[in-house]
Amino acid sequence: MTYSVFIDGAAGTTGLEIADRLAARQEFDLVRLRDDQRKDVNARRDAINNSDFVILCLPDDAAKEAVSLLESDHPRIIDASSAHRTAPDWVYGFAEFREGQRERIAGARLVSNPGCYPTGFLGLVAPLVARGLLPADWPYAVNAVSGYSGGGKALIERFEQEREIGFRGYGFNLEHKHMPEMKQHAGLNHDVVFAPAVVSAYRGMIVEVPLNLGAMKVAAKAADLLEALQDHYQGSPIVSVHDGSGIGELLLNDNDPATDRLELYVFASESGDLVRLAAKLDNLGKGAAGSTVQDLNIMAGLDETLGLRL
């Protein structure tokens, strides 16, 4: 069976990646609008309501407007924006982070794709909170760096014009749009202190969560966290968990290849009380286009790894 897929926002960074991945797939037939139709409300309305799947690669307000154009119960929506990531009627599109989530995605009409930074944070923290190894009632902090492609065309242009800048910290008003998503889907009682930055690599991302288990007064040690994460992701073709012992560096390189993998690491002090949880992923892969394609595969009843770069 062939499914029709309309990408609303196909000219953006994520939309182009998704379209490129689906173009050669026999299971999907891309619905394309002419350049002069891309912002035409009537053309978009027709494409949205007459497609089997609609993928929204739009700014948040535009994504909400696109959903308002729905007049049929037939289309199934995957929203790659942050507009619906905490909305109660939408299923969160991170298949691996929670038991039963893959099945929820498979049966959903409305799926909200995770943010790139939250993918790393939730991949590390959510399973450990769910198992009671880490407390929900704790003020977690997240330090993260991303390749500049995550900022879209405007930031890509800035980095390519300002070659002397290697690091841009931002989010200093502590109101980043990813913060509610991380709190809600990890099941936390407090907002996360989120410290993001963009570096001069085009793609790639490292998300780190430092933990002082002694201060938390939990029974778990680093080895328990590692074992729990390895058990949770056992058999996953996409997520891998690594013991950080003996690993001295995590690197982002300008020429890192595109990947849809999510690599999780547990680094620890000798006592096992001081821990640095770290996630490495491609902000355009598992952090955006790759996870969207994965969700689309799951919703269509296909092998979820089809079209992924593993």
Side-chain angles (χ1 to χ4, degrees), residues 163-221:
R163 293 289 185 179
E164 72 280 7
I165 295 177
F167 179 98
R168 293 180 189 269
Y170 69 102
F172 291 110
N173 63 355
L174 297 174
E175 295 179 355
H176 195 284
K177 64 182 181 179
H178 286 322
M179 292 167 61
E181 178 184 355
M182 289 190 277
K183 177 184 177 183
Q184 176 172 309
H185 293 294
L188 303 179
N189 297 346
H190 306 286
D191 290 329
V192 172
V193 178
F194 180 41
V198 182
V199 294
S200 60
Y202 181 75
R203 64 197 308 152
M205 171 174 284
I206 294 176
V207 180
E208 183 180 342
V209 184
L211 303 171
N212 186 322
L213 300 180
M216 288 179 170
K217 295 182 170 53
V218 295
K221 298 287 189 178

Side-chain angles (χ1 to χ4, degrees), residues 22-69:
L22 298 183
R25 296 277 301 273
Q26 295 182 349
E27 307 95 336
F28 301 113
D29 181 21
L30 285 176
V31 177
R32 301 181 186 271
L33 298 181
R34 301 190 310 269
D35 286 347
D36 63 321
Q37 293 178 314
R38 288 193 295 108
K39 295 185 179 181
D40 184 292
V41 173
N42 290 325
R44 291 172 57 224
R45 179 186 288 109
D46 288 344
I48 287 170
N49 285 285
N50 290 294
S51 298
D52 295 315
F53 292 96
V54 178
I55 299 174
L56 306 179
C57 299
L58 300 164
D60 288 3
D61 288 343
K64 293 175 183 177
E65 179 202 34
V67 173
S68 75
L69 299 177

Side-chain angles (χ1 to χ4, degrees), residues 14 17 34 109 161 164 175 227 232 263 298:
T14 300
E17 280 252 346
R34 301 190 310 269
R109 185 182 176 221
Q161 289 178 348
E164 72 280 7
E175 295 179 355
E227 182 180 3
H232 181 81
E263 305 285 343
I298 292 171

Side-chain angles (χ1 to χ4, degrees), residues 18-304:
I18 295 170
D20 181 62
R21 291 163 180 257
L22 298 183
R25 296 277 301 273
Q26 295 182 349
E27 307 95 336
F28 301 113
D29 181 21
L30 285 176
V31 177
R32 301 181 186 271
L33 298 181
R34 301 190 310 269
D35 286 347
D36 63 321
Q37 293 178 314
R38 288 193 295 108
K39 295 185 179 181
D40 184 292
V41 173
N42 290 325
R44 291 172 57 224
R45 179 186 288 109
D46 288 344
I48 287 170
N49 285 285
N50 290 294
S51 298
D52 295 315
F53 292 96
V54 178
I55 299 174
L56 306 179
C57 299
L58 300 164
D60 288 3
D61 288 343
K64 293 175 183 177
E65 179 202 34
V67 173
S68 75
L69 299 177
L70 277 171
E71 298 171 347
S72 167
D73 292 335
H74 175 71
R76 301 174 71 187
I77 313 296
I78 303 174
D79 185 3
S81 81
S82 61
H84 299 102
R85 288 176 184 158
T86 59
D89 295 333
W90 290 69
V91 171
Y92 195 57
F94 189 170
E96 298 93 351
F97 90 113
R98 179 182 296 155
E99 295 295 333
Q101 198 67 14
R102 183 175 286 100
E103 292 73 22
R104 296 182 187 98
I105 295 168
R109 185 182 176 221
L110 303 174
V111 171
S112 182
N113 211 50
C116 49
Y117 291 115
T119 295
F121 174 76
L122 293 169
L124 292 164
V125 173
L128 300 177
V129 172
R131 293 182 179 218
L133 294 174
L134 292 181
D137 190 23
W138 184 260
Y140 292 92
V142 185
N143 304 304
V145 294
S146 172
Y148 59 85
S149 58
K153 292 181 179 179
L155 188 60
I156 291 172
E157 184 176 337
R158 288 179 69 191
F159 261 97
E160 292 181 348
Q161 289 178 348
E162 301 170 339
R163 293 289 185 179
E164 72 280 7
I165 295 177
F167 179 98
R168 293 180 189 269
Y170 69 102
F172 291 110
N173 63 355
L174 297 174
E175 295 179 355
H176 195 284
K177 64 182 181 179
H178 286 322
M179 292 167 61
E181 178 184 355
M182 289 190 277
K183 177 184 177 183
Q184 176 172 309
H185 293 294
L188 303 179
N189 297 346
H190 306 286
D191 290 329
V192 172
V193 178
F194 180 41
V198 182
V199 294
S200 60
Y202 181 75
R203 64 197 308 152
M205 171 174 284
I206 294 176
V207 180
E208 183 180 342
V209 184
L211 303 171
N212 186 322
L213 300 180
M216 288 179 170
K217 295 182 170 53
V218 295
K221 298 287 189 178
D224 301 307
L225 306 187
L226 175 65
E227 182 180 3
L229 289 172
Q230 289 174 332
D231 180 65
H232 181 81
Y233 294 108
Q234 184 177 14
S236 172
I238 297 171
V239 185
S240 300
V241 181
H242 307 279
D243 183 347
S245 301
I247 299 176
E249 296 179 317
L250 284 182
L251 303 176
L252 292 181
N253 298 305
D254 284 338
N255 59 349
D256 279 341
T259 178
D260 295 315
R261 297 198 57 78
L262 173 60
E263 305 285 343
L264 306 180
Y265 298 84
V266 178
F267 300 96
S269 63
E270 185 174 349
S271 69
D273 285 325
L274 300 179
V275 178
R276 291 171 65 179
L277 302 177
K280 184 176 181 180
L281 64 153
D282 182 345
N283 58 288
L284 295 179
K286 184 62 171 170
S291 58
T292 302
V293 172
Q294 182 185 359
D295 288 340
L296 179 62
N297 287 333
I298 292 171
M299 294 168 75
L302 304 170
D303 179 345
E304 67 186 87

